[in-house]
Amino acid sequence: FDWPAKDTALLRLFPAFYLGKYEAVISGDDGFLDHVELEYRVNAIKWARAFTDKKLEVAGRSRLYRMKVNAVVGRGAEVDVCVDETDMKVVSAETGEPVKPQPTSIRTPYLQRVLARKGDDGVWRVKQIGYGKEGCGR
C-alpha cells in the first residue's frame, strides 16, 4: 500500500476490504463482510463465489495507491483508490497454474471509487463500489 500522508480510518476501509475479499477466495474466510453494509453483502459474496465456484484463486502482488477522500457528507463518504493488479494472476486452486485466458480487468491499473457509510457504531463500511480507468496510470 502506498499510504497517503494523512492516514484515517476511512482511508483504511478499502485496503481492509480488498485484502479480506482475497482471503475469502483463498481460505473461505468471510471476515471481509464486516467491512460492507448489509445491502452490499450480496455483491461482495457474488464476487468471491465467482472465484470459488470455479475453483480459482489469485497469485502475485497488487498495489493500492493514490488513496484519497473526495468528500464526506454527514455519514456518507466517497473515496478513490487506484489498484494495480498487473503482477497478479488468476490460477487454478487445484494446480496453481495460471488460467487462460487471464481476465482483461487486471492488465491495467484501474480506479475503485468507494461509497462508504459510517454506521451507528462509528465504523465506516463499503456501501457501493464503482470502477474506472481515469487517473490511475503508472
Side-chain angles (χ1 to χ4, degrees):
F1 305 123
D2 294 349
W3 293 108
K6 186 177 179 186
D7 187 10
T8 66
L10 183 54
L11 286 174
R12 289 188 172 270
L13 172 61
F14 182 75
F17 169 72
Y18 183 84
L19 284 175
K21 71 181 187 171
Y22 282 114
E23 287 172 5
V25 167
I26 294 167
S27 70
D29 180 355
D30 67 357
F32 77 111
L33 296 174
D34 294 340
H35 301 289
V36 300
E37 286 280 298
L38 186 59
E39 63 267 13
Y40 191 71
R41 286 185 178 210
V42 170
N43 289 340
I45 291 167
K46 282 181 183 178
W47 183 91
R49 285 190 180 156
F51 285 88
T52 57
D53 288 354
K54 296 177 185 173
K55 296 186 170 109
L56 298 174
E57 292 182 350
V58 292
R61 293 180 170 253
S62 63
R63 178 178 167 227
L64 303 182
Y65 61 104
R66 291 192 193 140
M67 293 181 249
K68 73 173 192 165
V69 176
N70 294 326
V72 177
V73 179
R75 297 171 93 166
E78 180 183 278
V79 179
D80 282 353
V81 179
C82 289
V83 180
D84 183 347
E85 296 175 331
T86 55
D87 290 333
M88 289 180 71
K89 293 195 179 342
V90 176
V91 299
S92 164
E94 296 169 337
T95 67
E97 293 296 315
V99 300
K100 293 181 183 174
Q102 287 288 302
T104 57
S105 61
I106 63 174
R107 292 191 182 141
T108 59
Y110 59 91
L111 176 73
Q112 292 270 232
R113 178 153 291 149
V114 179
L115 301 181
R117 182 180 176 282
K118 193 173 200 177
D120 291 339
D121 58 0
V123 175
W124 288 102
R125 290 185 181 84
V126 174
K127 182 177 174 106
Q128 186 176 351
I129 295 180
Y131 300 88
K133 297 281 184 198
E134 68 272 7
C136 289
R138 292 182 194 198

